[in-house]
């Protein structure tokens, strides 16, 4: 009896003493102190186990080793990679934090493959993986967010909530997403997604120097018409010009990815069906396609994108649509010319090569009229500065007309005196033409809708990845999708437009070919 009791007591004691041991082994730490390191079988896990940092191979069966961050509970989604362009091959790998507080990634023979390039060093540096997915180097004696270095400043192809795209004007750092070379190849591809701050800030997807897609220009405190609560635009010319987004209220993991084919996709994790849902995709098709309508062209979209010309301009016969339009009457320099107002548009490309911004000016019309090479103007208010003018020169490119009132800006385009005179006469005709076109479009829309519904139902199984993403998008839209953040980030599409944008992407392609 007594020995039995002793045995029980012993095993109980054993059990209790074993628990801390057990915990120690399974619970990884979220920090790396100076002099410490992890090898390729060890991990750092953020405080509430959201993210994990360590080594992985890609492709999985290869011996190409990368240091990366991924979701701890969700398999196969890498959100950050340190050495994407310089994998460690055929060797073990170690991540150290050295004496001056820099992270260094070395192979077996001590060759450095990557290092954190912090501009200053601190005495008691520690590296910590935060629950936001940010891997930071900070002074261990201070909890402040004044990080010496952070992985959020060196993005991979993924934007996480709280992470910023764009310029830190103090350090001169410009953060952008860089696509993978291909789905299976982590190395830097040609596509980037970031903010062009030269001129008015605009989010852009670019392939090298070539603009694929341009977001809505913003100024002051952000998009004036953005209805999105989650999107955060900062425009402070002494501090930063940036875009970021905060997590959805239900706090499920979410991420925005620039994929290797140029899609910008916002994924939200659904606990319910353990899957990623894409809540908005952007691809450079339809009216989003930067060069679709050419110079002085105007793109509008009712299921299919169509290119028109700005008032006072026309398309030359036998010209490609992307060659744009030309002036009907070139007499626009001190010959009684004036401006035609076009409402509800996405302003033309407002990069520095195309615009001059005149701060603190009231009379934008006079400003533009005074310079014969000024093609158009727009007015805006900048907080702290007030009424200001934007003047366009050289080209008016990538203008989009929005059907919904109040979803665009006013643009004033310079036209010859003859155009101003004829405007009243023509408007009657224009209304009739517009009504005929609209009824045809509605008819086509209904037909396409039925056809597409049928095709969609029958094609569900065989759609490619892109199409499946779009499918998910439509389904979410039908379920009353919240106004997504990327809508704010990219363009102010109405919900109906959004269905048009994403859902009928494949249709655009066909119609483009027809149009050409
Ligand atoms: C990694 O480090 C742990 C703890 O120091 C050690 O047990 C393990 O053998 C190491 N693994 C390799 C591959 O070096
Ligand atoms: C890695 O190892 C494989 C097979 O052992 C070999 O074919 C390859 O050349 C090695 N690569 C490098 C970069 O050493
Ligand atoms: C470490 O990297 C260097 C440079 O790439 C290479 O010469 C060396 O062979 C590598 N060491 C091992 C053990 O693979
Ligand atoms: C480190 O920073 C310096 C100056 O900011 C830069 O010239 C250098 O290319 C950077 N090196 C790496 C590996 O990022
Ligand atoms: C991009 O522009 C720069 C400067 O205008 C030029 O030097 C470079 O060759 C261009 N690159 C491509 C890929 O067009
Ligand atoms: C820009 O940032 C600086 C420094 O934080 C601040 O003093 C200033 O008020 C900001 N300007 C605007 C327009 O928000
Ligand atoms: C239109 O563009 C296509 C391809 O870009 C080209 O082959 C064709 O010659 C162009 N047509 C005209 C009239 O310029
Ligand atoms: C008109 O504007 C252009 C572009 O900003 C500038 O180069 C030119 O000097 C201006 N002309 C006059 C007369 O102000």
């Amino acid at each position: 009896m007594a020995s039995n009791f002793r045995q029980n007591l012993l095993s109980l004691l054993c059990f209790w003493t074993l628990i801390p041991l057990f915990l120690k082994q399974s619970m990884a730490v979220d920090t790396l102190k100076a002099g410490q390191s992890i090898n390729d079988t060890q991990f750092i896990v953020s405080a509430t186990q959201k993210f994990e940092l360590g080594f992985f191979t890609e492709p999985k069966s290869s011996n190409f080793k990368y240091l990366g961050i991924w979701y701890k509970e969700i398999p196969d989604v890498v959100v950050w990679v340190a050495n994407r362009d310089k994998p460690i091959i055929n060797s073990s790998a170690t991540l150290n934090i050295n004496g001056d507080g820099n992270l260094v990634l070395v192979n077996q023979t001590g060759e450095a493959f990557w290092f954190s390039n912090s501009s200053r060093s601190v005495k008691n540096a520690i590296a910590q993986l935060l629950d936001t997915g940010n891997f930071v180097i900070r002074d261990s004696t201070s909890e402040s967010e004044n990080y010496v270095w952070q992985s959020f400043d060196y993005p991979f192809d993924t934007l996480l909530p709280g992470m910023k795209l764009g310029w830190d004007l103090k350090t001169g750092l410009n953060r952008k997403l860089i696509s993978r070379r291909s789905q299976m190849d982590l190395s830097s591809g040609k596509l980037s997604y970031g903010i062009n701050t030269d001129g008015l800030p605009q989010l852009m997807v670019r392939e090298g120097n070539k603009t694929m897609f341009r977001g809505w220009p913003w100024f002051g405190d952000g998009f004036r018409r953005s209805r999105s609560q989650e999107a955060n635009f900062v425009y402070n010319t002494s501090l930063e010009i940036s875009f970021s987004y905060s997590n959805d209220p239900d706090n499920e993991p979410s991420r925005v990815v620039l994929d290797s084919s140029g899609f910008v996709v916002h994924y939200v994790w659904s606990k319910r069906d353990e899957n990623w849902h894409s809540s908005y995709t952007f691809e450079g098709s339809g009216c989003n396609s930067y060069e679709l309508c050419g110079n002085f062209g105007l793109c509008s979209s009712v299921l299919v994108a169509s290119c028109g010309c700005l008032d006072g301009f026309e398309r030359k016969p036998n010209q490609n649509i992307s060659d744009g339009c030309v002036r009907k009457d070139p007499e626009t320099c001190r010959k009684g010319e004036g401006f035609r107002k076009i409402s509800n548009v996405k302003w033309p490309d407002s990069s520095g090569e195309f615009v001059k911004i005149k701060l603190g000016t009231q009379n934008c019309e006079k400003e533009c009229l005074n310079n014969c090479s000024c093609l158009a103007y727009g007015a805006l208010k900048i907080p702290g500065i007030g009424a200001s003018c934007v003047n366009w020169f050289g080209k008016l490119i990538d203008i989009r007309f929005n059907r919904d009132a109040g979803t665009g800006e006013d643009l004033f385009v310079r036209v010859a005196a003859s155009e101003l005179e004829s405007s009243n006469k023509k408007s009657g005709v224009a209304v009739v033409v517009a009504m005929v076109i609209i009824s045809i479009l509605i008819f086509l829309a209904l037909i396409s809708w039925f056809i597409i519904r049928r095709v969609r139902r029958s094609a569900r199984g065989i759609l490619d990845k892109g199409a499946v993403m779009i499918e998910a998008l439509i389904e979410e839209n039908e379920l009353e999708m919240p106004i997504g953040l990327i809508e704010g980030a990219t363009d102010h599409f109405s919900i109906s437009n959004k269905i048009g944008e994403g859902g009928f992407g494949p249709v655009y392609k066909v119609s483009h070919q027809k149009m050409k």
Side-chain angles (χ1 to χ4, degrees):
M1 189 75 187
S3 78
N4 221 346
F5 174 77
R6 214 183 303 146
Q7 238 170 17
N8 278 343
L9 191 69
L10 212 68
S11 61
L12 204 69
L13 275 173
C14 265
F15 180 71
W16 284 113
T17 48
L18 271 175
I19 279 183
L21 246 178
F22 171 75
L23 281 179
K24 225 180 210 162
Q25 274 173 356
S26 71
M27 240 169 55
V29 287
D30 68 343
T31 54
L32 206 57
K33 295 188 180 67
Q36 286 184 332
S37 64
I38 56 166
N39 63 25
D40 39 17
T41 59
Q42 297 171 310
F43 305 100
I44 296 177
V45 180
S46 73
T48 66
Q49 316 269 305
K50 280 209 176 96
F51 288 96
E52 189 166 74
L53 175 141
F55 293 93
F56 67 101
T57 55
E58 181 73 38
K60 269 195 173 134
S61 56
S62 75
N63 37 18
F64 284 53
K65 235 167 250 171
Y66 298 90
L67 174 71
I69 298 172
W70 53 87
Y71 296 97
K72 179 149 173 46
E73 306 293 346
I74 305 168
D76 296 330
V77 180
V78 174
V79 297
W80 183 77
V81 180
N83 56 326
R84 68 185 298 184
D85 292 313
K86 214 178 167 194
I88 292 179
I89 308 167
N90 291 351
S91 165
S92 65
T94 313
L95 176 69
N96 302 308
I97 179 159
N98 68 15
D100 41 288
N102 263 310
L103 292 161
V104 190
L105 177 60
V106 295
N107 73 358
Q108 205 167 347
T109 43
E111 186 81 23
F113 278 68
W114 171 86
F115 59 96
S116 64
N117 198 7
S118 55
S119 47
R120 63 199 167 93
S121 66
V122 287
K123 250 198 188 137
N124 308 303
I126 55 165
Q128 184 173 23
L129 180 62
L130 306 179
D131 268 327
T132 53
N134 195 5
F135 190 41
V136 304
I137 303 176
R138 63 178 178 85
D139 188 332
S140 62
T141 57
S142 137
E143 281 293 325
S144 104
E145 287 196 3
N146 185 11
Y147 303 129
V148 178
W149 178 91
Q150 54 179 333
S151 64
F152 271 16
D153 279 343
Y154 303 90
F156 176 52
D157 64 352
T158 300
L159 187 72
L160 292 172
M163 190 172 162
K164 286 171 178 171
L165 283 185
W167 291 85
D168 178 336
L169 297 167
K170 279 189 175 160
T171 59
L173 189 71
N174 184 13
R175 293 153 293 203
K176 28 182 146 164
L177 306 185
I178 308 287
S179 68
R180 303 171 179 218
R181 190 160 294 176
S182 71
Q183 199 58 35
M184 299 303 289
D185 184 350
L186 301 177
S187 63
S188 303
K190 288 198 189 109
L191 295 158
S192 69
Y193 181 51
I195 299 175
N196 184 324
T197 51
D198 151 36
L200 291 176
Q202 314 173 101
L203 279 162
M204 281 187 169
V205 174
R206 310 185 84 176
E207 182 172 359
N209 287 359
K210 199 165 155 252
T211 302
M212 312 296 286
F213 159 74
R214 179 180 67 94
W216 201 272
W218 85 83
F219 26 79
D221 52 358
F223 288 106
R224 280 192 282 172
R225 293 170 208 283
S226 175
R227 286 162 294 175
S228 168
Q229 297 299 307
E230 302 123 41
N232 183 24
F233 300 91
V234 179
Y235 182 74
N236 183 329
T237 49
S238 61
L239 204 64
E240 64 176 289
I241 299 175
S242 70
F243 164 70
S244 62
Y245 78 100
S246 48
N247 219 343
D248 304 312
D250 53 0
N251 209 28
E252 294 285 17
S254 84
R255 62 200 164 101
V256 172
V257 179
L258 171 66
D259 79 10
S260 51
S261 44
F263 284 86
V264 176
V265 190
H266 177 208
Y267 293 100
V268 178
W269 179 254
S270 161
K271 225 175 249 162
R272 190 164 34 92
D273 59 0
E274 304 243 297
N275 220 332
W276 291 102
H277 290 253
S278 52
S279 77
Y280 186 69
T281 69
F282 163 73
E283 71 172 313
S285 74
C287 279
N288 287 335
S289 180
Y290 179 73
E291 289 183 308
L292 185 67
C293 298
N295 196 9
F296 304 119
L298 181 66
C299 194
S300 64
S301 167
V302 183
L303 286 189
V304 294
S306 63
C307 288
C309 292
L310 295 174
D311 275 354
F313 294 80
E314 65 190 353
R315 204 173 295 287
K316 276 199 253 160
N318 300 326
Q319 277 279 304
N320 272 336
I321 282 172
S322 60
D323 289 339
C325 308
V326 293
R327 264 189 207 291
K328 289 183 198 159
D329 179 349
E331 301 289 334
T332 56
C333 187
R334 311 201 205 293
K335 295 259 168 51
E337 70 273 16
F339 294 90
R340 186 68 69 70
K341 175 176 166 180
I342 308 176
S343 297
N344 254 9
V345 295
K346 168 172 148 188
W347 273 357
D349 191 345
S350 308
S351 308
E353 56 182 309
F354 300 119
V355 298
K356 268 224 161 126
I357 300 162
K358 308 237 163 154
L359 300 175
T361 312
Q362 288 284 352
N363 195 339
C364 298
E365 176 167 339
K366 194 172 144 227
E367 197 72 49
C368 188
L369 210 53
N370 275 344
N371 187 328
C372 284
S373 27
C374 178
L375 299 171
Y377 73 84
L380 55 84
K381 277 203 182 77
I382 296 181
I385 292 168
S388 301
C389 302
V390 187
N391 291 350
W392 277 267
F393 295 91
K395 276 184 169 180
L396 297 180
I397 201 157
D398 193 29
I399 312 171
R400 177 199 170 104
F401 174 70
N402 276 5
R403 281 167 301 136
D404 300 336
T407 56
E409 308 291 336
D410 293 337
L411 179 72
F412 298 84
V413 180
R414 186 188 205 109
V415 293
S418 60
E419 287 300 323
L420 290 173
E421 286 155 18
S422 66
S423 74
N424 292 342
K425 245 185 295 163
K426 265 206 249 148
S427 60
V429 181
V431 168
V432 174
V433 172
M435 283 178 69
V436 170
I437 291 176
I438 287 170
S439 30
I440 292 173
L441 281 174
I442 289 173
F443 177 66
L444 284 176
L446 283 172
I447 290 186
S448 325
W449 177 248
F450 285 118
I451 291 174
I452 286 163
R453 271 193 95 84
R454 287 187 73 121
V455 170
R456 224 207 285 165
R457 289 215 176 110
S458 61
R460 225 154 255 254
I462 52 167
L463 291 166
D464 62 16
K465 181 182 146 277
V468 171
M469 250 152 37
I470 288 160
E471 282 292 284
L473 169 70
I474 294 176
E475 264 151 31
E476 293 211 7
N477 272 323
E478 283 170 352
L479 298 170
E480 229 295 292
M481 190 194 124
I483 310 269
L485 64 117
I486 301 307
E487 174 223 9
T490 53
D491 214 320
H492 307 275
F493 308 131
S494 68
I495 285 180
S496 57
N497 267 343
K498 249 193 263 175
I499 295 172
E501 295 293 331
F504 301 100
V507 178
Y508 288 142
K509 275 176 201 150
V510 174
S511 59
H512 290 170
Q513 277 151 13
K514 268 192 204 150
M515 274 150 63
K516 284 174 186 166

